[in-house]
Amino acid sequence: MKLSKLYVKYRDRWWSLPLFLPCFVLPLISKANTFAHISTGTVVLFFLPLALTISLMLFFSWAAIPGIVLAFFLYDYQHMGLANNALIIVHFLLPVILSWAGYRAFTPNRRNVSHGNVSLVFQRIFWQAFCPATLFIALYQLVGLFDIYNLHQESNIGTPFMINILINYQALLVGNLIGVPLCYYIIRIIRHPLYIRAYFSQLRLQFDPKVTKREIVIWMFIFMGLMVMLCMPLEQNSSIFSTNYTFSLLLPVMLWGAIRYGYRFMSLIWTPVLIISVHFYHGYIPLFIGYETQLAITSSSYLVYSFVIVFISILAMHQRTINRRARMLAFLDPVVHLPNLRALNRALHRFPWSALCFIRIPELELLGRNYGVMLRIQYKQQLANWITMQLTPDEGVYQMSGNDLVFRLNTEAYQSRIEEIDRHIKQFRFIWDGMPLQPQVGMSYCYVRSPVTHIYLLLGELSTIADLSLATNHPENLQKRMAMHLQRDLKDKIALMNRLQLALEQDQFCLMAQPIVGVRGDTYHEILLRLIGANNEMISPTEFLPVAHEFGLSSRIDLWVIRNTLRFMAQHREAMPACRFSINLTPSSVCRAQFHREVQVLLNEFGVEAWQLIFEVTESDSLANIEQANKTLAKLQKMGCQIAIDDFGTGYASYARLKSVNADILKIDGSFIRSIVSNSLDYQIVASICHLARMKKMQVVAEYVESEEIRRAVISLGIDYLQGYLLGEPRLLEETLKSAEASARISVER
């Protein structure tokens, strides 16, 4: 075993470092002790041995006691006898052990955290400065009666309010306040010499990022100038700056450093400054009447200044740490713990040229619904780590919302690297509960130059191209896939989406109606929706409904149509009694569990009977979520509304789906009706649909009846209702009202 390993293994044993270290350090730090003579005896202005014993106990616990005893015995034996020496050792150990035990009891899990931690400031001040100093001075009053320290004090030493007791107490507080961290770092460096590198590394991190070398030079120049004036000996020609006024000027300079440079740097500076200032106190506190009072005031300044500088430096450092952490969290996704879009924007601005790669994993949404959101989080984390293996340190992977990731590459040979990363991603396997998963991954990329001002639009284009990559199973280049067309299409979509929202808010839709004529004489109308364009043109639903569905507006549009249709029926109840209207529903409405309640509220609001409404659902789309669709349709039927299956025959497995749907009306798609006269196969298909509808007790509507031949053919098949230009074209809802009134007048005249 190497010597270094032996040292690490045994360095904390009581017979090792804790035994010999105090004997070496105590004589050195005792040279910093400073005493002064006043009329009532000798007082101490600065005292470090008590701080040393506290630091030893913090480091080595009970193992430090033999070394402390040995160090004080060797150091003081030549001055005192054995009995007095033993009394001194007890005098030191008793307050130190009590304070150490209290500190361990109140901070059991954090007692070894280095100084400068804001959460431990008050615990350290109380247990490492105030408590041992108070106990020590109380015991000092007792043992001082026997004058074992040879301070030659007067007979009234037991008086607790003497000025020398105040000075001694302040000296102990100051010594503990700055001495415990000093001894702590000395012991830590001796125990582990490489710690000095970590100390200076942490010291640099505590500096304010805005600090410049010029500022440090100016600060050091002012600081050194004040120290020179402070230590100049007093003469007859001495100015005001040669008094303790200079020491007061040190406080704003030290506070400047505390706010800007952090705790570690200021503790490294302030400790020797205070030791030197106290040691040369006679240079700025001349002997005169009231000398003791001035000495007590200056001693209190040592304490107050030390506390303020230490506390302000810790608070400033803590505030910078909080700000740094907040800035870091602002660039990190809180759920996936990957750099976010803001971090990507910062990285793109940092490099003049970059290759931006977009990754799309569409199957992750389905897997997340089935296995929980943690699967999606862990998949993205592990995939990001897998990709990072192929990246350089200045490149990175970034979190996007949903199921996407983005990574940035440097531009050197980026195309070949993207091909290599794509192969690397295809080798990725994600294990979830012992089950390997490999969802398909699409990748797109582009070459960008800083600054990228259109990052959101660019990511949208990359997302579209990534969908294309899923089909080609190969990374797709955005520049080669007509990005300008994609950008224009996306802008058109956004413009239409804004137009739809405005139309919903300002009622800029138009309702039309087309008659559906029954062969037995009854008639109802289908409500058709049009969007009023910017130039008052009519925009067909085939143009805006896909966009409405993509942006989640289709259900709001359905409710707008229902509300305005019911309002029309309520306003013209007398002119159009017992009228019925058929309203088309989009899949998003049919698959909403609360939709039937919203319809019931509107029926009650306008006083319309439920049997007057027929809801048409497109068989190929709305029944994709068969369970929820069936529940919604059943509740609407229970209310009294009728359900019609629109465009029957065009969807996948139409007959199989129809088995599970209890509808009232079946509308045959116009593609079969148009050629029913000329195509015998279409005729047989329509005949079979009619036969199935009769078995389900459903009425049948034939769409696109545009000629007399088609009308006769569908009537011969027993179809109940006809719809088409032969029977009536779509007209504005108000014109339907006029037509109904005209029909009513004709009936009255007859």
Side-chain angles (χ1 to χ4, degrees):
M1 185 178 292
K2 294 183 179 180
L3 186 61
S4 60
K5 292 184 178 180
L6 285 173
Y7 171 74
V8 172
K9 183 178 180 180
Y10 298 110
R11 64 186 175 187
D12 293 335
R13 303 293 178 87
W14 72 267
W15 44 263
S16 182
L17 199 59
L19 184 65
F20 299 103
L21 185 61
C23 302
F24 170 72
V25 177
L26 180 62
L28 294 178
I29 67 166
S30 295
K31 297 183 182 298
N33 297 341
T34 303
F35 298 89
H37 300 282
I38 60 176
S39 59
T40 56
T42 302
V43 293
V44 60
L45 298 179
F46 191 76
F47 194 70
L48 276 182
L50 184 62
L52 174 63
T53 55
I54 295 172
S55 299
L56 289 169
M57 290 296 295
L58 288 174
F59 253 103
F60 303 113
S61 187
W62 297 106
I65 294 179
I68 294 172
V69 172
L70 180 62
F72 278 102
F73 182 81
L74 295 177
Y75 182 68
D76 291 331
Y77 184 71
Q78 54 184 341
H79 305 294
M80 306 175 185
L82 181 61
N84 285 350
N85 207 332
L87 190 59
I88 291 173
I89 293 172
V90 173
H91 184 192
F92 272 88
L93 285 180
L94 186 59
V96 167
I97 291 175
L98 291 176
S99 301
W100 166 76
Y103 182 69
R104 285 197 59 174
F106 283 91
T107 56
N109 298 324
R110 309 187 70 178
R111 60 181 182 275
N112 290 327
V113 177
S114 62
H115 293 79
N117 191 320
V118 69
S119 62
L120 297 178
V121 168
F122 293 104
Q123 291 94 325
R124 290 187 184 277
I125 289 176
F126 182 82
W127 293 110
Q128 297 178 15
F130 175 78
C131 185
T134 304
L135 294 175
F136 189 90
I137 203 70
L139 291 175
Y140 177 78
Q141 285 291 92
L142 294 176
V143 301
L145 294 172
F146 304 99
D147 198 23
I148 63 172
Y149 292 107
N150 296 322
L151 298 180
H152 308 292
Q153 300 187 11
E154 293 182 349
S155 59
N156 60 351
I157 188 170
T159 305
F161 300 107
M162 287 183 59
I163 196 167
N164 61 332
I165 299 300
L166 176 62
I167 295 174
N168 289 336
Y169 185 50
Q170 292 176 160
L172 291 174
L173 289 173
V174 174
N176 290 346
L177 187 62
I178 71 168
V180 172
L182 173 65
C183 297
Y184 176 89
Y185 290 124
I186 291 174
I187 297 171
R188 191 164 184 178
I189 290 172
I190 294 175
R191 182 174 174 268
H192 184 58
L194 294 179
Y195 171 73
I196 195 168
R197 292 193 306 182
Y199 179 87
F200 283 102
S201 175
Q202 295 170 5
L203 182 148
R204 288 194 299 270
L205 289 175
Q206 291 183 2
F207 271 59
D208 192 307
K210 298 179 181 179
V211 169
T212 61
K213 293 181 179 179
R214 181 180 179 181
E215 178 186 341
I216 297 176
V217 170
I218 294 173
W219 183 84
M220 292 295 293
F221 179 79
I222 297 174
F223 157 67
M224 294 300 296
L226 290 175
M227 286 300 298
V228 169
M229 288 191 292
L230 185 67
C231 297
M232 289 175 61
L234 288 173
E235 299 176 356
Q236 292 183 352
N237 298 326
S238 297
S239 66
I240 188 175
F241 294 106
S242 300
T243 65
N244 58 353
Y245 176 73
T246 307
F247 186 74
S248 301
L249 291 178
L250 276 175
L251 180 61
V253 177
M254 289 294 123
L255 289 179
W256 173 9
I259 294 172
R260 301 286 285 174
Y261 309 139
Y263 171 77
R264 289 186 184 272
F265 180 79
M266 290 312 300
S267 63
L268 191 65
I269 295 294
W270 177 246
T271 301
V273 166
L274 186 61
I275 292 174
I276 294 172
S277 301
V278 175
H279 191 72
F280 291 98
Y281 73 94
H282 52 273
Y284 52 87
I285 306 179
L287 291 170
F288 61 94
I289 298 175
Y291 168 74
E292 291 88 350
T293 303
Q294 182 62 41
L295 196 64
I297 294 173
T298 305
S299 177
S300 67
S301 299
Y302 299 151
L303 175 61
V304 173
Y305 289 3
S306 298
F307 174 78
V308 170
I309 291 169
V310 169
F311 190 67
I312 293 299
S313 63
I314 291 176
L315 284 184
M317 179 195 67
H318 181 65
Q319 186 62 41
R320 281 195 293 274
T321 302
I322 291 175
N323 292 339
R324 188 182 301 115
R325 186 174 301 168
R327 287 194 299 270
M328 181 186 68
L329 293 176
F331 293 98
L332 191 70
D333 183 85
V335 178
V336 188
H337 300 292
L338 291 174
N340 57 17
L341 184 58
R342 186 178 291 138
L344 172 63
N345 226 340
R346 181 180 60 176
L348 292 176
H349 280 76
R350 189 178 299 167
F351 298 91
W353 294 92
S354 300
L356 194 60
C357 304
F358 191 97
I359 295 178
R360 166 63 57 83
I361 316 110
E363 297 176 17
L364 203 58
E365 180 67 30
L366 178 62
L367 292 173
R369 287 201 302 266
N370 291 331
Y371 296 103
V373 70
M374 283 305 301
L375 179 143
R376 182 166 56 187
I377 294 173
Q378 293 185 18
Y379 179 89
K380 297 184 80 170
Q381 289 174 340
Q382 294 185 25
L383 180 59
N385 293 333
W386 183 262
I387 296 172
T388 304
M389 297 167 57
Q390 300 292 315
L391 305 182
T392 60
D394 58 346
E395 299 169 341
V397 183
Y398 303 88
Q399 155 73 358
M400 295 290 108
S401 61
N403 309 310
D404 306 325
L405 289 173
V406 172
F407 62 92
R408 193 203 68 83
L409 299 176
N410 297 325
T411 54
E412 293 81 5
Y414 72 94
Q415 289 184 328
S416 59
R417 290 188 61 199
I418 289 173
E419 298 286 346
E420 182 180 351
I421 292 174
D422 180 60
R423 291 191 293 269
H424 185 68
I425 291 175
K426 286 181 170 61
Q427 297 173 3
F428 175 69
R429 299 293 185 275
F430 177 70
I431 307 299
W432 181 259
D433 287 342
M435 177 177 59
L437 302 175
Q438 189 186 12
Q440 189 179 5
V441 176
M443 183 190 299
S444 60
Y445 63 94
C446 66
Y447 188 71
V448 296
R449 180 180 180 179
S450 180
V452 184
T453 57
H454 56 288
I455 182 65
Y456 300 100
L457 182 59
L458 179 63
L459 290 174
E461 295 172 353
L462 285 171
S463 175
T464 303
I465 297 299
D467 288 332
L468 178 62
S469 173
L470 291 168
T472 62
N473 197 29
H474 187 272
E476 294 292 342
N477 190 338
L478 177 62
Q479 278 86 358
K480 295 182 179 179
R481 288 291 179 178
M482 303 178 68
M484 294 301 295
H485 295 288
L486 290 172
Q487 182 176 350
R488 185 166 56 252
D489 292 343
L490 183 58
K491 286 182 177 179
D492 293 341
K493 273 188 178 181
I494 298 298
L496 185 54
M497 183 268 292
N498 292 331
R499 184 68 186 170
L500 288 172
Q501 289 181 329
L502 186 64
L504 285 169
E505 295 170 0
Q506 301 181 3
D507 292 335
Q508 294 181 356
F509 288 106
C510 175
L511 293 181
M512 305 184 75
Q514 184 178 21
I516 301 177
V517 180
V519 296
R520 288 175 293 275
D522 57 324
T523 300
Y524 67 94
H525 292 79
E526 179 182 1
I527 296 295
L528 303 174
L529 182 66
R530 300 293 185 267
L531 174 64
I532 302 175
N535 299 319
N536 291 325
E537 73 276 13
M538 295 292 184
I539 302 176
S540 171
T542 56
E543 297 183 30
F544 64 81
L545 280 184
V547 176
H549 178 71
E550 184 176 352
F551 290 97
L553 298 174
S554 55
S555 187
R556 289 180 58 190
I557 293 176
D558 285 349
L559 290 175
W560 188 94
V561 173
I562 296 172
R563 173 179 290 276
N564 284 273
T565 301
L566 294 178
R567 180 183 289 114
F568 176 83
M569 296 170 69
Q571 292 174 351
H572 305 93
R573 201 185 310 272
E574 295 180 359
M576 301 181 66
C579 62
R580 291 193 300 160
F581 287 98
S582 176
I583 299 175
N584 289 275
L585 296 181
T586 58
S588 59
S589 295
V590 177
C591 295
R592 280 200 306 116
Q594 301 299 321
F595 179 73
H596 69 285
R597 292 193 179 95
E598 295 168 346
V599 173
Q600 184 64 62
V601 170
L602 291 174
L603 289 172
N604 295 337
E605 179 181 349
F606 293 103
V608 177
E609 298 295 332
W611 60 266
Q612 294 180 266
L613 288 184
I614 301 170
F615 289 112
E616 296 187 11
V617 293
T618 305
E619 175 267 341
S620 58
D621 292 329
S622 63
L623 302 185
N625 188 349
I626 186 68
E627 184 177 353
Q628 183 58 54
N630 285 343
K631 289 181 180 179
T632 302
L633 298 178
K635 290 175 181 177
L636 289 173
Q637 284 180 306
K638 188 176 180 181
M639 289 165 48
C641 301
Q642 287 189 304
I643 302 299
I645 303 300
D646 195 14
D647 297 334
F648 183 81
T650 59
Y652 173 74
S654 300
Y655 288 94
R657 291 188 180 185
L658 191 60
K659 288 171 59 179
S660 59
V661 177
N662 293 320
D664 304 289
I665 300 172
L666 188 67
K667 297 185 70 174
I668 303 175
D669 187 71
S671 60
F672 299 105
I673 303 298
R674 277 188 183 134
S675 55
I676 192 173
V677 177
S678 58
N679 192 320
S680 60
L681 181 59
D682 286 344
Y683 185 89
Q684 294 299 326
I685 291 175
V686 173
S688 66
I689 293 174
C690 293
H691 180 68
L692 178 62
R694 292 190 193 96
M695 294 179 64
K696 294 278 292 183
K697 297 181 180 180
M698 299 168 63
Q699 295 178 319
V700 181
V701 178
E703 299 179 324
Y704 288 89
V705 178
E706 299 175 349
S707 66
E708 186 63 30
E709 292 81 3
I710 296 176
R711 188 183 73 84
R712 287 196 297 267
V714 296
I715 291 176
S716 66
L717 290 173
I719 291 179
D720 304 286
Y721 291 91
L722 311 179
Q723 181 181 9
Y725 281 11
L726 178 66
L727 303 160
E729 298 181 3
R731 292 185 297 176
L732 294 175
L733 203 54
E734 289 75 10
E735 295 181 7
T736 304
L737 173 64
K738 294 178 182 178
S739 177
E741 291 175 345
S743 300
R745 285 196 300 268
I746 293 172
S747 299
V748 171
E749 291 175 356
R750 288 179 180 176

